Amino acid sequence: MEIGQKVKVIRLRDRVSSTIAQKLGKVGIIEGYKVTDGAGIGVVVKFDDKSSTWFFEDEIKPA
């Protein structure tokens, strides 16, 4: 996964807020990476509505 790549949210690993849950199935663009607390590297995804959040790599796929 590279910065600028389009990705689709395919699953959510943990319980999340309803705002983030609404991103399931949406397409966004990778804008960066996030180091998580020992569980790996997260990917920051920005969506068309200008919101952004991070996901684990197994929660997204190339679009």
Side-chain angles (χ1 to χ4, degrees):
M1 305 268 174
E2 298 178 12
I3 293 176
Q5 180 178 2
K6 279 190 169 188
V7 292
K8 182 176 185 176
V9 180
I10 57 169
R11 65 175 244 162
L12 299 171
R13 190 189 282 190
D14 299 318
R15 290 185 180 187
V16 294
S17 69
S18 61
T19 304
I20 295 173
Q22 292 173 0
K23 303 302 181 194
L24 190 60
K26 302 286 184 189
V27 173
I29 297 174
I30 296 175
E31 66 174 12
Y33 301 99
K34 174 180 174 60
V35 178
T36 62
D37 59 355
I41 303 281
V43 179
V44 179
V45 179
K46 187 171 186 176
F47 297 94
D48 288 340
D49 65 0
K50 306 296 185 230
S51 67
S52 65
T53 192
W54 70 273
F55 299 94
F56 290 108
E57 286 192 40
D58 65 340
E59 296 178 312
I60 58 176
K61 71 174 186 177

